[in-house]
Structures are given as C-alpha cells and as structure tokens.
Amino acid sequence: MPALVHLFDWPDRVVVGTVGSPGSRSFYLQVRDGARNASVGLEKEQSAMLAEKIDEILDALMADEGNPFSVPADTPVELVDNDPLDQPVEEQFRAGLMRLGWDPSTAQVVVEAFPFVEAGESDDEEPAAEPSEMLLVRMPVGTARAFVHRTRQVVASGRPLCPLCGRPIDDDGHVCGATTTL
C-alpha cells in the first residue's frame, strides 16, 4: 500500500508551535494551504535542530557565489508569524526521521518528516519497511527564514534556565545540580 503523503508545495503557513504550558509543552510542525492543514508532533530538540539546519542551508546558499537565488539574511517583516497554532491541533503522527534538502528548480527548502518507529518494530535483518505516512513541505527562502526565526523564539520561550547549572527552573522550585566551592 502506498504511503499517505501530506504534500504542501507552496504553503500559506508553516510554523512550529506548542500546546501546553512551559515544562509540559507539546511541539508541533504545522502546515496550512487554504483549508487543508497538517500537524506533526515534534520533540523540542527536533524543533531546535530543524531550525538550525534550515538556517545552515540558507546561509550556505547566501555564501555560494554561484547561487542565482536571492536569499534574505533576516526574516522579511511581512512574513513574521506570531499567531498561535491553528485549532484544533490534530496530530497526523509523531515525527521520527526527518530529512532536509534544497530544490534549485523551485528555489525551495524541502522538509520531509516520517513517523517515529518504536524500537523493535522493525527487524534489522529485514529491509526497512516503507513508512505508511509522511509530511513533505516545500517552502520558499523567505518563508524558511521566517520559520527559523519563529521556531527559535518558540523553543526559547520555555522555562527559564538556572544560571548555575543551566537546567530548567520549574514554577514549584528547582534542585540545582551545580556544585559550589567555598
């Protein structure tokens, strides 16, 4: 059976956002094109890494003297998106493997997300089974810059970090792991 592909070639919106309060937030990659949308669950670390790697792709394109595409160094003001996730958030799947690429034929960053597979669900001696579902998003460079900017803000907006040990401080207190010497 062929995989269900949630394809968004020129989305109206592509963002990372959260549901819940700091310390118990759920992260989502959400894409919308007209009335059609998809939400894929992410880990906080996946969100941060996705932003970092997209930024690296854009910076590499800017640095390439042979690159014929105009890549903005900063987020275009008209593409800033600080709105909450579209409701209701209905998770298509929780992301495991993700791939990034660049499509020079359309000047778009390509993001592919595949469902998380529990350990033991695949047999190492068997060839990897095709995923049953995937998210495929193609976003122009300006949208990609805006995506990076927003994602970094969302990731950073969690619990404050302890200045001594760097671990998150909960509302009900914090047991600091830093060792102090007198």
Side-chain angles (χ1 to χ4, degrees):
M1 181 169 152
L4 172 61
V5 178
H6 305 280
L7 174 63
F8 293 86
D9 274 330
W10 294 92
D12 297 330
R13 183 177 199 219
V14 55
V15 296
V16 165
T18 62
V19 173
S21 59
S24 60
R25 297 185 295 171
S26 295
F27 285 74
Y28 295 94
L29 169 58
Q30 190 175 74
V31 190
R32 180 183 68 217
D33 186 15
R36 192 172 65 90
N37 66 35
S39 298
V40 172
L42 298 175
E43 295 297 324
K44 180 179 181 178
E45 294 78 14
Q46 282 177 302
S47 302
M49 186 61 68
L50 182 59
E52 180 182 326
K53 295 302 179 185
I54 289 174
D55 203 32
E56 286 177 11
I57 289 171
L58 296 171
D59 288 347
L61 288 167
M62 283 179 48
D64 182 1
E65 292 179 18
N67 175 31
F69 307 105
S70 175
V71 178
D74 296 312
T75 302
V77 175
E78 66 275 11
L79 296 177
V80 171
D81 183 346
N82 293 321
D83 292 336
L85 292 174
D86 295 337
Q87 298 295 323
V89 177
E90 296 177 7
E91 182 178 294
Q92 270 61 47
F93 58 86
R94 180 144 291 285
L97 175 70
M98 296 183 80
R99 292 191 298 213
L100 290 175
W102 169 251
D103 185 347
S105 67
T106 60
Q108 291 176 304
V109 174
V110 180
V111 178
E112 296 177 342
F114 301 90
F116 176 76
V117 177
E118 289 286 337
E121 284 186 25
S122 63
D123 185 353
D124 289 338
E125 294 180 22
E126 296 287 325
E130 289 295 318
S132 60
E133 198 169 5
M134 74 176 286
L135 175 70
L136 175 56
V137 180
R138 297 172 177 276
M139 61 180 117
V141 292
T143 301
R145 263 307 172 212
F147 177 88
V148 168
H149 178 77
R150 177 193 166 110
T151 301
R152 286 183 170 153
Q153 286 182 323
V154 168
V155 168
S157 69
R159 296 171 288 175
L161 299 179
C162 174
L164 299 175
C165 70
R167 301 179 110 190
I169 301 172
D170 294 321
D171 289 339
D172 59 350
H174 170 68
V175 176
C176 187
T179 56
T180 58
T181 57
L182 299 175

